[in-house]
Amino acid sequence: MDSLFFAVIILDLLIITGVMGSENKRFDENYVVTWGNEHVMYTNGGRDVQLSMDQSSGAGFASKLSYGTGLFHMRIKLPSGGSAGVVTAFYLHSHTSKHDELDFEFLGNKKGKPITLQTNVYTNGQGNREQRVILWFDPTADFHNYQVLWNEHQAVFFVDDVPIRVFKNNTDVGVGYPSQAMKIEASLWNGEDWATDGGKTKIDWSLSPFKVHFQGFDIDGCPAATDHKNKNKLSNSTNQSCYSSDEFWWNAKKYRKLTHKQQEKYENVRAQYMNYDYCSDTNRYPVAPPECESNS
C-alpha cells in the first residue's frame, strides 16, 4: 500500500511538471500553423513538429484557444550549427492593440558560441523589459523544457524547472500586469537586424535551412471565454473563473511565490548566467522602473 501511494504521488508530480504526457498530444489537437505552411514538417504521428527557415520564409504556429492563466510549456530543440541572426520564439500573446505578452526568444549565434535566451514582458502594450541569460547547456543538442507559470500573483519563466525570471503582480503600485487572454505561440524568423552582436553578425544563408523542433502539445491552462466586443480580452467574470484555486492547481497558494529551493536556483541563475537586465540599464532607465525591486 505504501509503495502504491508513493507511486501515485510521483506520477502526479511528473504530470504537473510536464514530464509525463508532454509527448502524447498531437499538434493538431491544440495548435494550428499560422504562417509558413511549406516550412512545417510533422513526424511521430504529429507529436513532433519541425519549423524551418530559408531566405524565402520562416514559420509559426499558435494555440487554437486563448487562455487566462496556466502553466504553459514546450519542449524545444534549437537549430544546430551556425545560427547567428536566427530567432526562435515561444511566447504568450493577446493580439490586442495594447497587448499583453510573456516572451521567450532564443538568439542564435555563430557555431561554438553560447546561445542567449531573452525574456520580455508586455503589459497593456508596454514592453522594453528585456532580460538575457546565457544557457548553461547546449540547447541545440537535445530537447529542453521551457515553461511559463502565469497566475494572478506572478509570472515565472522556467528552463527545465529552474526559474530564470519572476514578474510579480504589482498593480497596487501602478505597474501593469498581464490580464488579457493570450494564445500560445512559437515561431522561427529572421532577426539579423538585432539578434546577434546587436545586429552586426548577419545570417549565413549558406547554412540554411535552419531547423527547430518542438514537442509537448498538451496545455495546462484555463480556456478563456471572451467578451463579444473584444475577442481576446477576458471579461471580469472569466477573470475570476481563471483565478480559481479550486479548479486550477496553478492558482493554489503555494504557487503565489517561489519555494525556498526555487528561490536559491533563481538567485544562482541571476548571479552566474544573466548578462543583461533592463533594471540595471541606467542609460535606458536613469531611475529604475518601479517593479524592479520586487521582481529581483
Side-chain angles (χ1 to χ4, degrees):
M1 181 64 71
D2 289 343
S3 60
L4 178 60
F5 172 79
F6 285 113
V8 170
I9 294 297
I10 291 171
L11 179 60
D12 286 343
L13 290 172
L14 291 173
I15 292 172
I16 286 173
T17 57
V19 175
M20 292 290 291
S22 63
E23 299 179 15
N24 292 333
K25 290 282 187 179
R26 296 192 318 273
F27 172 86
D28 60 3
E29 293 181 70
N30 288 324
Y31 290 90
V32 293
V33 175
T34 51
W35 62 285
N37 287 272
E38 69 281 6
H39 288 76
V40 181
M41 185 175 73
Y42 308 92
T43 58
N44 190 25
R47 292 173 177 82
D48 298 87
V49 170
Q50 173 190 284
L51 303 186
S52 64
M53 185 180 77
D54 55 27
Q55 283 184 286
S56 67
S57 181
F61 63 82
S63 59
K64 295 178 181 179
L65 301 179
S66 296
Y67 296 88
T69 55
L71 176 68
F72 306 100
H73 66 93
M74 194 70 66
R75 286 172 49 78
I76 306 173
K77 181 180 178 182
L78 296 180
S80 59
S83 60
V86 177
V87 177
T88 300
F90 167 54
Y91 56 104
L92 307 179
H93 195 289
S94 68
H95 291 279
T96 52
S97 58
K98 293 184 177 181
H99 71 286
D100 290 346
E101 184 174 340
L102 298 169
D103 200 3
F104 281 109
E105 288 181 313
F106 302 87
L107 311 184
N109 212 336
K110 292 181 178 180
K111 185 176 181 180
K113 288 194 173 183
I115 300 292
T116 295
L117 172 54
Q118 175 173 285
T119 59
N120 204 348
V121 176
Y122 283 79
T123 63
N124 199 34
Q126 178 187 347
N128 298 320
R129 297 184 174 104
E130 300 91 348
Q131 291 183 356
R132 301 187 192 112
V133 299
I134 299 297
L135 293 172
W136 51 93
F137 52 84
D138 181 0
T140 73
D142 203 352
F143 287 91
H144 291 267
N145 199 28
Y146 304 93
Q147 303 165 303
V148 178
L149 171 71
W150 171 40
N151 59 33
E152 186 181 6
H153 303 278
Q154 62 176 357
V156 185
F157 296 75
F158 293 90
V159 176
D160 290 333
D161 298 321
V162 176
I164 66 165
R165 180 171 190 169
V166 178
F167 190 83
K168 297 179 182 178
N169 187 337
N170 287 305
T171 52
D172 58 335
V173 294
V175 178
Y177 187 75
S179 60
Q180 301 178 62
M182 295 190 281
K183 289 194 172 185
I184 311 160
E185 307 195 31
S187 59
L188 179 65
W189 53 282
N190 181 344
E192 68 176 4
D193 289 343
W194 65 275
T196 308
D197 301 326
K200 295 178 182 179
T201 303
K202 305 298 184 181
I203 294 175
D204 182 351
W205 291 109
S206 70
L207 301 175
S208 68
F210 304 97
K211 301 175 182 179
V212 58
H213 299 266
F214 297 88
Q215 297 175 344
F217 300 113
D218 60 312
I219 297 174
D220 288 319
C222 170
T226 54
D227 64 30
H228 296 293
K229 294 181 180 179
N230 185 337
K231 292 184 178 180
N232 286 290
K233 188 173 182 179
L234 293 169
S235 65
N236 289 334
S237 60
T238 305
N239 260 319
Q240 296 305 314
S241 174
C242 284
Y243 295 157
S244 168
S245 58
D246 293 329
E247 189 172 359
F248 303 113
W249 60 263
W250 53 83
N251 292 324
K253 186 175 181 179
K254 64 181 179 179
Y255 299 108
R256 295 180 183 179
K257 62 181 181 179
L258 299 183
T259 66
H260 179 71
K261 185 173 291 186
Q262 286 175 332
Q263 185 68 33
E264 288 182 342
K265 291 180 179 180
Y266 174 56
E267 291 174 1
N268 180 65
V269 166
R270 290 181 61 86
Q272 299 295 323
Y273 303 107
M274 179 173 284
N275 64 2
Y276 179 81
D277 183 359
Y278 76 106
C279 289
S280 304
D281 191 337
T282 55
N283 290 325
R284 291 176 67 190
Y285 300 102
V287 176
E291 72 269 18
C292 288
E293 182 176 352
S294 62
N295 287 328
S296 62

